Amino acid sequence: MVNLRKSLNRLPHLIAFEAASRKLNFTRAAEELGVSRVSVSRQIAELEESLGARLFNREHRRLSLTQAGRALEAEVNPALHQIADALKSVAGAAKGTRLSVTTTSAFATYWLMPRLVDFSNRFPRIELDLVVADRMLDLAAEGINVAVRYSATEPREGRVRPLLQEKVFPVVSPRYAARTGLTQASDLLQEHLLHLSGIYRPGARWPSWFRSNGLEPPPEGSGVVVNTYINMLQAAIAGQGVGLAGNPLVDPYLADGSLIRVPGCKEVVRDHYYLMDMTRDREDAQIFCDWIMEQAGKAVG
């Protein structure tokens, strides 16, 4: 009988090899694995030494598999994926009826979570695993069943339905000490603005909004710069400045008066929130998707 512990003592190295052979780039393999390029390069070198065979041709800015590397790829890579699928299958069976749902932190905080009480009351047998992430997850690799994604284009994974479309406009707290009468778009040039930085696309930022209103935008030094949508909204609610926010996420604060729309300002239509069902006719996923579409219809209505 084969001693698996002895034979597979290079399993982490094989995982590095699988990524490197697929990407044909040590840097991209390292990014996928969440390690350094040096780590991947070292693991490949150690694997080659233990096998006594060179697996990659390392040319200038180019990586290719040797004959031994192609042979190893053909046998090992499918086996690793088979093992991963088996583990995922067992883990999924152990979870029973739990349905994994992912969305961004802002959508989860301001739109989805306040409504989940209704879902739990109506469908108590369906348990949810809410995966909140602002980075673009690999839905298949993470075992995600349903996703809500904000995108300029319709995603190509799973069964996709447009859920909601965002419109952005200036909002302010009644507690904010305005420098002007705040009755028209040009007044905002003299106000304390809350600027978004980081991953957000131009349409979520003040310069784009000002230009759509026919105005030259002020510099970011005219206000506070924050790096998350949640922090921006909280700062606006606290009266620290004027925020550029959008429905549906800001709707609860407009409804309770925590924030008000600045009058005389044009709203800008932006991207869609898309609902993605990654399952194959799974009943609990269908129930959740129908429920969230119903909630979106109420929000629009």
Side-chain angles (χ1 to χ4, degrees):
M1 182 179 292
V2 176
N3 186 329
L4 291 179
R5 183 176 181 181
K6 182 178 180 180
S7 300
L8 298 181
N9 65 339
R10 295 294 185 182
L11 186 57
H13 299 68
L14 292 174
I15 293 172
F17 170 79
E18 187 279 333
S21 65
R22 182 162 35 84
K23 299 287 188 180
L24 289 178
N25 186 292
F26 287 167
T27 300
R28 292 175 187 168
E31 290 172 353
E32 179 177 294
L33 296 171
V35 299
S36 69
R37 183 193 184 284
V38 173
S39 176
V40 170
S41 181
R42 185 180 66 251
Q43 285 184 307
I44 296 300
E46 291 174 353
L47 182 60
E48 289 176 326
E49 183 179 357
S50 68
L51 294 174
R54 198 168 185 81
L55 301 174
F56 290 94
N57 295 311
R58 295 161 175 81
E59 303 168 12
H60 181 61
R61 295 187 177 180
R62 186 173 179 271
L63 202 64
S64 62
L65 288 165
T66 63
Q67 183 176 352
R70 289 193 297 272
L72 190 66
E73 177 191 36
E75 295 293 337
V76 167
N77 291 14
L80 288 174
H81 285 281
Q82 186 175 354
I83 292 170
D85 289 342
L87 293 172
K88 187 187 300 183
S89 176
V90 172
K95 287 183 178 180
T97 60
R98 298 191 76 86
L99 183 74
S100 60
V101 178
T102 189
T103 188
T104 63
S105 56
F107 190 86
T109 301
Y110 296 120
W111 197 91
L112 181 57
M113 291 180 71
R115 291 170 167 81
L116 284 182
V117 173
D118 176 78
F119 182 82
S120 298
N121 289 339
R122 291 168 59 181
F123 308 103
R125 295 184 180 180
I126 299 178
E127 297 181 349
L128 300 180
D129 281 334
L130 186 58
V131 181
V132 177
D134 289 328
R135 63 184 178 89
M136 197 71 75
L137 296 178
D138 184 328
L139 301 181
E142 298 286 346
I144 300 296
N145 304 131
V146 177
V148 176
R149 278 193 168 163
Y150 181 68
S151 176
T153 58
E154 184 172 309
R156 297 183 179 181
E157 299 175 82
R159 288 177 291 179
V160 179
R161 286 183 272 181
L163 185 65
L164 294 160
Q165 187 170 26
E166 184 187 42
K167 298 174 183 177
V168 296
F169 41 80
V171 295
V172 67
S173 166
R175 294 185 286 172
Y176 172 67
R179 301 169 181 173
T180 67
L182 276 182
T183 57
Q184 55 189 348
S186 59
D187 287 346
L188 296 179
L189 295 170
Q190 304 176 54
E191 296 296 341
H192 202 64
L193 304 180
L194 302 171
H195 296 270
L196 275 175
S197 68
I199 63 173
Y200 300 94
R201 295 195 296 275
R205 305 173 191 265
W206 281 113
S208 175
W209 182 87
F210 274 109
R211 292 188 181 102
S212 72
N213 279 264
L215 298 167
E216 187 62 28
E220 284 192 348
S222 62
V224 176
V225 179
V226 295
N227 66 349
T228 72
Y229 189 91
I230 291 176
N231 288 343
M232 185 275 293
L233 269 189
Q234 292 306 310
I237 292 167
Q240 296 176 16
V242 183
L244 185 61
N247 63 354
L249 304 189
V250 77
D251 290 350
Y253 298 103
L254 297 175
D256 67 16
S258 300
L259 292 171
I260 57 176
R261 290 183 62 161
V262 177
C265 294
K266 176 185 175 182
E267 65 184 18
V268 177
V269 176
R270 290 204 65 219
D271 301 340
H272 274 93
Y273 290 92
Y274 290 97
L275 177 64
M276 304 167 63
D277 183 355
M278 302 298 295
T279 69
R280 296 181 179 178
D281 301 317
R282 184 167 155 172
E283 184 181 8
D284 54 356
Q286 185 62 54
I287 290 172
F288 181 82
C289 289
D290 289 345
W291 170 82
I292 201 171
M293 291 297 297
E294 174 191 309
Q295 296 296 311
K298 291 178 180 178
V300 173

